[in-house]
Every structure is written in C-alpha cells, then in structure tokens.
Amino acid sequence: MTTPRAILLLGPTASGKSVAAMALASCMPVEIISVDSAQVYRGMDIGTAKPTLDERVQVPHHLIDIVDPTDAYSAGRFAQDARRLIGEISARARLPLLVGGTMLYARALTAGIHELPVADQEIRARLESEAQALGWPALHARLAAVDPVTAARLAPNDAQRIQRALEVFEISGRTLSQWHASETRRPAPPALYLRIALEPSRRAVLHERIAERFAAMIAAGLIDEVRSLRTRGDLHPQLPAMRCVGYRQVWAWLEAGAPGGALRDEMIERGVAATRQLAKRQLTWLRAMPERAVIDCLAPDATQQVIERVADFLDGVTQPGPRL
C-alpha cells in the first residue's frame, strides 16, 4: 500500500483559509476535512464561520455538524476520525485537504498524543481571576460537573490542581481522568503531509480583519443564533461548545438582559478581543511547527502561492520524497 498523502492548510482565524481551500478545490480533486473544534457542533453556524451549503455542495466537507453542543469532542477523537477519512478519501483517488485553526487537532493527527496539553497562560489567568471572584470551591464544583472522578480526589481549595484540570478540559474537551485512563498513546500512522501555514506579515492588519469579521457575524444574526441555543434549555456556559469565542461573549450579554447602547458595543469589543487572543495562540502553535511552508496571508497572491505549493508537493511525491 502507498503512503497516504494529505495537505494541512492551517492558520489563525481570518487568515483566508476557506478561500484558499475552495480555490484549490476548483483545480484539484480534493475533499475537505475541517480542523476546527467549533465547526463540529450542530446549530452553531454563524459564529464558527462554517462553509455555506453551496460550498458543501460544490466540494465534499467532513467533520462538520457531527456532534450536539451538549457533547464534547476531543483532539484524540479528531485524530481517529481524520485518519479514517484520509484513508477513505485517498481510496477514492482524491486528495485529503485538512483546513482549520485548531492546532492541537493538527498536532494530534501528525504527531500523535503523547502528553497532556501544554499550559495556556491566558486560560490560567482567567481561571485565577474567576477564583478570586467566586472562590476555588466554586471552581471545584464546576470541575465536579464535568469531571467528577478528578474532583473527588481534590480538596475544594486545591487551587493548582483544580486550575490544571479545568485548563486541560477547556483546551482539549477531554477530562483529566480520561487522559489518565489512556495508558497507551497511539502514535500517528506513517503519512506524507504538506503543512502550509497562512500567517500575517502585519499583525495589525489581521486584527482589522478580525474586527470586520466579527461585525459581519453580528450583522448576519449571531445574536439570534446564540439566543436560540439558550432557549433549548439543556445548554449552559460551562460547556465546551458554549465557551467558543463569540458564543461566550454573546451568551453573557444575553444573560445580563441584552442591554443596548454602550453595553452592546462592549460585548462586541469583548468578542473581538477574545478572537484576537485566539489568533495569537494559533500563531504561537504554528511557530512551534518547524516543517511548515509559510505564506503571508496578506499577500495579494496568497491563494495562488498555496496552489503552487500543493502542485509542487504532488509532483515531488513521485520522486524520492516530498518537497516541504
């Protein structure tokens, strides 16, 4: 059997990944696998920037709308699903194109899961702030709701371990007890990956794009989308789905009574700020990925550069090895 070949098109939010992916699909026989921890959830369309129905008709998309917002979806499960899909797509003589910005998922696929997620200082700082306001017993109760096994062995004021357990769950969507129960780590299977990273040469321009994109989501009905999710009655702010950027800020604003004027503007600013912080984390992950072809997402010919890189890669794999 030949070694599977796949393209990883990664980048921060608002870097133009979807546009580049559809352009690739217009000239190559690809099927797209979403590498996005929010697009897996059904009923969360506007705030996750899912591909349109027309785009999904034009090009097969996978790992979109596969779980309910009440459920969790982990990096380990993604890696398992993506490996299966890469095999199935390759068997159809088509090219697997993995597109997204959830870098933990990309690492789980290409390197396997060998250790707990690395620390996220921003999540830790937020948990610390919440603990100062609510007390560590309140965060212990939150942990008990999602990971009763870990909570049962921790004292209500064991700040460091409560913080780490909540951090791991927020990063991965998987509880600490689930990580500890997995004694055997499955290594990533052999594969040839071309890793393309769309990264901005000017961070300020990306920030402008993010603000414009969030404003467009609000105009497209993000508030009504979150309002509809709240009326279901089975969702709450601590669920991984409801902690997604944008949804978390709109939910809190609706919970406060949806005040207008300056407070509505403040909610939007918080959503934009949170999205910018997400982009910063995504870029940090990318910089730790040495075997990547970096393309300036702000370049006028960025999409054409992506197409050329993929064409070179596909030509190169017929030789002794891929040109990365």
Side-chain angles (χ1 to χ4, degrees):
M1 294 180 65
T2 58
T3 303
R5 302 160 189 164
I7 310 299
L8 275 165
L9 180 58
L10 307 172
T13 185
S15 59
K17 300 181 294 295
S18 297
V19 171
M22 292 303 294
L24 267 174
S26 70
C27 57
M28 299 181 187
V30 307
E31 294 188 28
I32 295 173
I33 301 172
S34 172
V35 188
D36 191 299
S37 61
Q39 290 187 357
V40 297
Y41 295 112
R42 292 185 288 269
M44 297 172 59
D45 304 326
I46 298 171
T48 63
K50 282 179 186 170
T52 66
L53 291 177
D54 183 57
E55 288 171 334
R56 286 188 248 181
V57 168
Q58 292 178 50
V59 184
H61 283 70
H62 305 275
L63 301 188
I64 292 175
D65 292 336
I66 59 172
V67 296
D68 190 80
T70 55
D71 299 326
Y73 189 79
S74 68
R77 183 174 169 188
F78 166 81
Q80 194 172 37
D81 290 343
R83 289 186 198 111
R84 171 181 54 79
L85 287 165
I86 287 171
E88 293 173 356
I89 293 168
S90 299
R92 292 192 285 268
R94 299 178 70 84
L95 179 65
L97 174 59
L98 296 101
V99 183
T102 303
M103 306 309 169
L104 178 64
Y105 283 13
R107 190 179 72 171
L109 173 64
T110 59
I113 298 177
H114 302 288
E115 57 186 358
L116 291 173
V118 296
D120 186 310
Q121 296 304 322
E122 292 169 3
I123 291 178
R124 288 190 171 191
R126 176 174 50 74
L127 290 171
E128 183 73 33
S129 177
E130 292 175 1
Q132 290 177 3
L134 304 173
W136 283 107
L139 270 68
H140 182 267
R142 181 189 302 176
L143 177 63
V146 296
D147 188 2
V149 174
T150 298
R153 64 180 179 81
L154 300 181
N157 285 302
D158 191 343
Q160 182 178 355
R161 290 180 175 83
I162 293 170
Q163 183 186 58
R164 179 56 175 159
L166 288 171
E167 176 194 40
V168 166
F169 181 69
E170 288 196 24
I171 292 172
S172 67
R174 191 179 184 195
T175 66
L176 193 60
S177 59
Q178 289 172 330
W179 281 95
H180 289 162
S182 302
E183 295 296 334
T184 303
R185 306 296 184 209
R186 289 190 295 269
L192 292 177
Y193 294 104
L194 171 63
R195 301 161 176 84
I196 299 177
L198 291 174
E199 302 178 23
S201 55
R202 290 168 290 163
R203 192 77 61 91
V205 178
L206 181 68
H207 286 181
E208 291 173 5
R209 284 189 180 184
I210 287 171
E212 293 168 359
R213 183 177 181 176
F214 197 82
M217 288 177 174
I218 293 292
L222 176 59
I223 291 173
D224 286 338
E225 183 172 82
V226 179
R227 183 179 285 115
S228 177
L229 290 167
R230 290 183 77 241
T231 59
R232 283 180 37 158
D234 59 345
L235 302 177
H236 56 81
Q238 281 70 49
L239 286 168
M242 295 301 101
R243 297 202 64 78
C244 291
V245 168
Y247 290 88
R248 181 170 69 247
Q249 289 75 27
V250 175
W251 184 293
W253 178 72
L254 290 171
E255 203 163 55
L263 291 177
R264 184 179 187 275
D265 293 341
E266 183 179 323
M267 175 271 290
I268 293 173
E269 282 302 313
R270 287 178 177 176
V272 170
T275 309
R276 288 172 177 167
Q277 289 298 316
L278 170 62
K280 180 181 178 181
R281 293 194 297 272
Q282 291 169 320
L283 287 168
T284 298
W285 274 90
L286 283 172
R287 285 195 292 270
M289 189 181 294
E291 293 182 350
R292 74 190 195 282
V294 179
I295 293 175
D296 180 6
C297 66
L298 306 180
D301 64 340
T303 295
Q304 184 58 36
Q305 289 186 54
V306 170
I307 293 173
E308 291 173 359
R309 285 278 188 172
V310 174
D312 287 347
F313 172 73
L314 295 178
D315 177 61
V317 294
T318 63
Q319 306 304 319
R323 295 200 295 269
L324 291 177

